[in-house]
Amino acid sequence: MFDQVIHQAWVGHAEGALLAPRAARLDQLQASLGPVELVGSGEIDLLGPVYDLGLGLRLDLDALGALVPNAPVLEGQADLRLQVEGSGADPRARGTIEVVRGRIGKYVLGDRILAQLRADRSQVDVESLTVEIGTGRVRAEARLLIDDSLTLEATARPANLSFARFMAALGEPSVWADFVATGRTQVRGTLRPLRLEGPFDFAVAGVDVW
């Protein structure tokens, strides 16, 4: 499937007695496969075992889509910075994701998405999420519990968000009106089954009908 050459380089060492090392340390890892670039470093305490690893992943989504047969149209640049620590029984992760001018099929992911996340075995916290669409933006926070129902609680605050641009991002460009919305909404419920509800409070301006 891949005809690109993997380029990689890594530097590391073991700590402790040669025949019974206490820890393994990866000082630097660099690898690339066409549009995918990976960097990393970290340490694994073999007596725990516990680990503390830092990973960075950069993706050229345009080129990545061309590598995967039957993949939807992909566009944009994605950058992931992740810190993983803990043990096999208690893994924890935190990091940031940035996507610039992303698109998956007919869905536009916004001009820029920036998210800060934290996760463990019980839940995923989106500590902050900013989606920029034209001159507007949406700021949000969310918590997803890793339970049977995938319980979700989220708050979103759009500001100066164009209704027409938002609908176009959802793959529906043929709307008959536009306005700018600012406000707040909060939803609670489950993703399995999909059942979300909550209040919303929006102020609209600049209504234009055509």
Side-chain angles (χ1 to χ4, degrees), residues 137-157:
R137 67 178 56 194
V138 178
R139 297 185 185 276
E141 304 88 33
R143 171 168 292 177
L144 177 66
L145 301 184
I146 312 301
D147 56 17
D148 292 340
S149 301
L150 294 179
T151 303
L152 175 69
E153 180 175 346
T155 301
R157 296 177 299 281

Side-chain angles (χ1 to χ4, degrees), residues 6-185:
I6 297 178
H7 302 281
Q8 60 182 342
W10 61 276
V11 178
H13 64 274
E15 298 177 355
L18 181 60
L19 297 181
R22 181 184 184 281
R25 181 172 182 83
L26 180 64
D27 298 314
Q28 183 179 15
L29 167 67
Q30 292 181 320
S32 63
L33 170 59
V36 181
E37 297 180 9
L38 173 68
V39 296
S41 63
E43 182 174 355
I44 301 176
D45 186 332
L46 301 176
L47 297 183
V50 295
Y51 50 82
D52 187 354
L53 303 172
L55 300 172
L57 186 64
R58 179 168 295 174
L59 300 173
D60 181 342
L61 299 179
D62 304 63
L64 182 64
L67 290 176
V68 181
N70 303 318
V73 174
L74 297 175
E75 295 180 2
Q77 301 286 330
D79 199 339
L80 170 66
R81 293 287 181 266
L82 187 65
Q83 192 73 28
V84 183
E85 59 189 19
S87 65
D90 183 28
R92 301 181 300 278
R94 64 184 186 278
T96 62
I97 300 174
E98 182 178 21
V99 180
V100 178
R101 300 193 181 281
R103 174 189 290 270
I104 301 177
K106 68 176 183 178
Y107 300 105
V108 178
L109 304 181
D111 299 322
R112 178 174 178 262
I113 295 176
L114 180 62
Q116 294 183 342
L117 309 125
R118 184 180 297 270
D120 57 29
R121 292 178 65 92
S122 63
Q123 64 189 40
V124 177
D125 286 312
V126 181
E127 297 180 330
S128 69
L129 170 67
T130 301
V131 182
E132 297 175 359
I133 303 176
T135 58
R137 67 178 56 194
V138 178
R139 297 185 185 276
E141 304 88 33
R143 171 168 292 177
L144 177 66
L145 301 184
I146 312 301
D147 56 17
D148 292 340
S149 301
L150 294 179
T151 303
L152 175 69
E153 180 175 346
T155 301
R157 296 177 299 281
N160 300 318
L161 183 64
S162 164
F163 171 73
R165 287 290 303 269
F166 179 72
M167 294 303 294
L170 296 179
E172 299 294 340
S174 300
V175 297
W176 49 267
D178 191 20
F179 55 84
V180 174
T182 298
R184 183 178 186 273
T185 185

